[in-house]
Amino acid sequence: MQEYSSQAAYDRGEAVCVIGAGASGLIAVKNLRENGFEVDCYERDTVLGGLWNPQNQHSPLYPNTHLVTSRSQTEIPDFPMPDDWPDYPSAAQMLTYLTSYAKHFGLSEHIWYGSEISHIEPVEGSRFEVVVKPAAGNAARRLRYAAVVIATGHHWEPNLPSYPGQDQYRGTVLHSSQLKDASRLRGKNVLVVGGGNSGVDIACEAAVNAAGCVHSVRRGSWHLPKYLGGEPADFALARIGARPKFLRRFLTDRLVKGPRRLAARMGIDVPDHGPAVEEPVRNGRYLEHVGDGSIRRRGEVARFDGLDVAFADGTEMRPDLVVFATGYRPKITCVSPRLLGVEDGSPFPRLLARMFSPKQETLAVVGLVEPGVGVLPIVHWQTHAIAHWLEVRRGDPERAVNFKTQVVSESAQSAAEPDGTSPRHQLAVDAEEYLASLGRIIDTLEQEPAK
Amino acid sequence: MSLTAWARRARTPEPAPVAREIAYLEPADLFDSDIKDDPEASPVLCCTGDPAGAAAFNASWLKRIASTGRYAGAVSVRGQGGTPAAEGGLDARAHDVVQAAVTVPRQAVLIGHREGAAWAALAAGRYPAAGLVLVSPRQFPKQPPKPVGGPPVLLVVSESESQSKEVQSVTAAYGVAPLTFAGGPDDVFKGAAADGLLDAILSWLAPKN
């Protein structure tokens, strides 16, 4: 096919390119199409659902993954999950949900599977040239789009620590994403490194399956059970946000007093700031396992030594299996870092309002936030704003200018706040504030055009 | 749906879940070789204020709709037909309609009759319906939410109520002129009036969806 050769780029006109067919990509496709855009979505794997699909060869799911935010706070605003599902659906249910979303809105026909984007580059007229990586035996395809939405997520590139002596360590080391089956833990002495949600979940799996479980955690964090005051914890805390300001602090303290005292009893330093500032660990079973001794907590790993692991407090152990639940780092390779506002090689893009490229007005990244609540609704409103923005940009330059000043001022506000305490919290946003700022952006876009 | 409306709803306790009765008929269920399932046509989901709920549509509606090649469904909200009663007012019933709509295979057209029109209108404020049909609305909210995704709206009323205040306020809210059908607002399920009404709705659906 001549038009797909490496010389000529096939012009897709006003169509928008979405990269990734995970949860964020699917929401982006649906919202762009709802606003009248033609959309081509490219997915490097052969299945949809992104990280929720265990058939995805890069899937980061670990045994028994469940949502850590409750159903009502996680579902896509205009496509609720079935109300007879549990409060905290499993990964399999999440995949069922995303599949039915795609089917309901007819999204599959716009997705090109097995198509990785090798790079995108801006061309004249703030359009983009997109190069689709060839599958074996095919020529690279070059296409031109009016806009590009990157929805590749940030749970793909394992963030592996390096401790002294780790290279010479002779035991088995796995990243949490490689632990597909809880049977790998059975009868072993397991060391789990990392105190985030995945580390705590895997420690709980090990507590019931393994012969012994040691959990190495570098610093304290908030531990919330999945239920508070008879309601899902995130729902209970979000409801407090609707109360008058002077009551919020008091009500929050009252609600989290119990979990806080329990965490302190288990020897966890709870940070001084509230649970909303950085993503808390949401697991009700963990502290009970610590309490019955099936999980032993240790400080940071100091070094690996032959078959032994030494901790910073001077103790040593000989694990059969080391699981690094140390999370992921964002990695967007298909676009030059300069377009994402990165000058110094940091993996964390600096975007306007956490979604728009500071250099190119038709490039946006969705879902690159850790809001501490379900990310799907956030992505829904992000893509809602992006779709409206592209529409406004097409027809009404004056409103487009209004919008740009709005976005820049919103980003200036969030940049003034101190960043999270650990590098992994670079993506953290306060859900309340971020949603309010998204709301203001959408209002600016939906204003009646000035006559 | 606006972001603030969603944020408010996400902070309100969800209505108690009920096992909803959903009656549906797919074109293939008619065993008629002349009727082909039309993959382009939007499915239809009906609800009514009639206490019979979904069963009211069994008499002729579901068959007529399915014979145009569409999936035809009807839902009984809480307290109607085979759905057990549960707490909750207008919002809970709209929730029932949305929950039924997301189980339909594709984006559905919502048809509401009587009080059902109010539920369908509220449901269309939170679910991007492919179309919204209001038949003889009653107890309609004063300021219905803006339908998500801007679906086409059709208002059908009986001749006797075409001048009523209620109909005029609905007309004003959506900016659509009402279509009138012969007969009373309650004999829409059977008989000549029902056929005329269905013809009007189906021909309105045909070109757009």
Side-chain angles (χ1 to χ4, degrees):
Chain A
M1 290 203 288
Q2 193 53 47
E3 71 259 44
Y4 288 145
S5 79
S6 53
Q7 274 81 42
Y10 181 59
D11 200 317
R12 291 282 287 123
E14 285 299 305
V16 180
C17 169
V18 174
I19 306 176
S24 303
L26 292 174
I27 298 172
V29 175
K30 183 246 161 200
N31 279 336
L32 285 163
R33 283 185 42 74
E34 195 170 289
N35 283 277
F37 289 93
E38 243 189 280
V39 183
D40 286 348
C41 175
Y42 294 98
E43 165 59 46
R44 70 171 169 179
D45 214 283
T46 52
V47 288
L48 59 70
L51 66 86
W52 295 107
N53 198 332
Q55 286 177 26
N56 190 318
Q57 57 173 328
H58 304 279
S59 165
L61 294 179
Y62 48 83
N64 222 348
T65 314
H66 281 253
L67 291 186
V68 292
T69 51
S70 67
R71 178 162 55 80
S72 69
Q73 308 297 303
T74 312
E75 63 196 9
I76 302 167
D78 60 4
F79 191 79
M81 292 190 200
D83 62 357
D84 54 355
W85 276 14
D87 288 328
Y88 290 94
S90 66
Q93 281 174 315
M94 195 63 184
L95 178 62
T96 310
Y97 174 61
L98 293 174
T99 313
S100 70
Y101 181 76
K103 201 170 155 233
H104 196 84
F105 294 107
L107 306 180
S108 304
E109 53 196 279
H110 306 286
I111 304 173
W112 297 79
Y113 292 104
S115 307
E116 194 166 349
I117 302 297
S118 69
H119 63 276
I120 62 177
E121 54 195 55
V123 291
E124 74 277 10
S126 51
R127 296 168 61 75
F128 277 93
E129 185 155 314
V130 172
V131 181
V132 184
K133 209 179 247 180
N138 288 1
R141 287 193 291 154
R142 305 170 80 90
L143 300 102
R144 286 198 178 185
Y145 288 95
V148 172
V149 176
I150 300 176
T152 48
H154 53 95
H155 289 101
W156 303 108
E157 186 66 21
N159 175 31
L160 287 168
S162 63
Y163 292 109
Q166 195 181 325
D167 299 339
Q168 275 82 48
Y169 178 66
R170 285 182 280 141
T172 316
V173 178
L174 294 177
H175 184 258
S176 64
S177 60
Q178 296 166 305
L179 183 77
K180 293 292 177 207
D181 192 350
S183 66
R184 294 194 78 156
L185 302 168
R186 202 152 292 151
K188 303 254 179 71
N189 254 319
V190 179
L191 167 64
V192 181
V193 181
N197 273 310
S198 61
V200 165
D201 283 357
I202 291 170
C204 287
E205 280 301 303
V208 291
N209 286 309
C213 172
V214 173
H215 189 197
S216 157
V217 180
R218 196 166 47 183
R219 57 192 195 91
S221 57
W222 270 95
H223 282 258
L224 292 184
K226 284 191 169 175
Y227 291 94
L228 280 175
E231 288 168 338
D234 53 352
F235 174 71
L237 288 169
R239 277 181 86 179
I240 289 175
R243 305 269 179 206
K245 219 165 199 166
F246 67 96
L247 276 175
R248 285 183 205 165
R249 184 67 193 268
F250 168 73
L251 291 171
T252 310
D253 283 349
R254 198 178 63 170
L255 206 53
V256 301
K257 191 171 139 207
R260 189 184 186 127
R261 280 181 62 189
L262 179 59
R265 186 183 172 89
M266 298 303 162
I268 299 169
D269 325 316
V270 176
D272 290 331
H273 52 69
V277 176
E278 61 175 61
E279 169 115 14
V281 173
R282 302 168 197 269
N283 190 320
R285 293 181 300 156
Y286 177 72
L287 292 176
E288 302 205 343
H289 283 307
V290 175
D292 67 17
S294 47
I295 296 174
R296 278 162 295 146
R297 279 174 63 91
R298 293 279 164 78
E300 187 166 13
V301 170
R303 62 177 192 284
F304 285 78
D305 192 3
L307 279 169
D308 295 319
V309 178
F311 296 96
D313 59 5
T315 54
E316 287 196 1
M317 77 171 290
R318 177 167 292 196
D320 300 318
L321 175 68
V322 180
V323 181
F324 281 126
T326 40
Y328 298 84
R329 50 177 67 243
K331 188 178 179 193
I332 301 177
T333 49
C334 59
V335 57
S336 127
R338 200 182 52 82
L339 288 181
L340 301 177
V342 180
E343 304 287 354
D344 53 356
S346 137
F348 298 98
R350 299 203 151 275
L351 303 163
L352 296 179
R354 304 249 175 199
M355 56 180 168
F356 291 105
S357 156
K359 305 279 188 231
Q360 280 282 331
E361 47 183 39
T362 51
L363 176 65
V365 184
V366 296
L368 206 58
V369 288
E370 284 186 341
V373 299
V375 80
L376 267 53
I378 302 258
V379 171
H380 175 85
W381 297 114
Q382 280 184 331
T383 53
H384 188 84
I386 291 167
H388 273 76
W389 155 238
L390 292 176
E391 214 179 350
V392 165
R393 203 183 148 271
R394 242 183 352 196
D396 194 338
E398 192 179 325
R399 275 161 77 204
V401 171
N402 279 351
F403 166 75
K404 238 179 286 172
T405 45
Q406 168 90 30
V407 168
V408 170
S409 74
E410 298 286 349
S411 331
Q413 257 178 42
S414 62
E417 291 156 21
D419 275 323
T421 40
S422 134
R424 84 172 269 282
H425 293 105
Q426 293 252 356
L427 297 178
V429 292
D430 182 333
E432 192 91 8
E433 281 168 26
Y434 185 61
L435 278 170
S437 124
L438 274 179
R440 289 192 292 272
I441 290 173
I442 292 171
D443 284 347
T444 315
L445 287 170
E446 285 184 348
Q447 269 163 19
E448 289 300 312
K451 294 270 154 47
Chain B
M1 167 181 36
S2 71
L3 197 153
T4 40
W6 164 76
R8 203 179 312 119
R9 182 155 50 79
R11 283 174 186 159
T12 323
E14 211 175 41
V18 287
R20 282 168 286 271
E21 175 196 37
I22 295 180
Y24 69 93
L25 208 54
E26 284 175 82
D29 297 337
L30 297 172
F31 296 111
D32 184 336
S33 57
D34 294 338
I35 296 164
K36 293 274 185 308
D37 192 346
D38 181 358
E40 297 294 311
S42 305
V44 173
L45 182 73
C46 313
C47 59
T48 173
D50 190 294
F57 295 97
N58 276 337
S60 71
W61 278 59
L62 296 186
K63 261 178 240 143
R64 282 287 306 276
I65 296 170
S67 67
T68 61
R70 298 166 188 277
Y71 169 105
V75 59
S76 301
V77 302
R78 49 198 65 205
Q80 276 187 327
T83 305
E87 282 191 22
L90 202 61
D91 276 333
R93 290 176 169 76
H95 166 87
D96 287 339
V97 176
V98 173
Q99 284 285 330
V102 299
T103 63
V104 171
R106 278 170 296 123
Q107 240 176 315
V109 174
L110 299 179
I111 300 184
H113 167 245
R114 281 297 191 197
E115 288 85 352
W119 311 332
L122 290 181
R126 349 190 317 199
Y127 161 79
L132 177 61
V133 181
L134 309 169
V135 183
S136 298
R138 188 190 275 173
Q139 291 176 19
F140 205 76
K142 289 256 158 27
Q143 285 173 325
K146 194 167 153 266
V148 187
V153 180
L154 174 69
L155 174 61
V156 200
V157 297
S158 73
E159 270 167 357
S160 57
E161 55 182 0
S162 62
Q163 296 304 319
S164 78
K165 240 186 192 156
E166 180 122 42
V167 168
Q168 279 168 6
S169 80
V170 179
T171 309
Y174 290 99
V176 292
L179 214 71
T180 53
F181 65 95
D186 284 313
D187 40 66
V188 296
F189 296 118
K190 259 202 267 217
D195 286 338
L197 172 62
L198 267 172
D199 282 337
I201 294 174
L202 288 172
S203 66
W204 178 81
L205 283 179
K208 296 181 189 105
N209 303 296

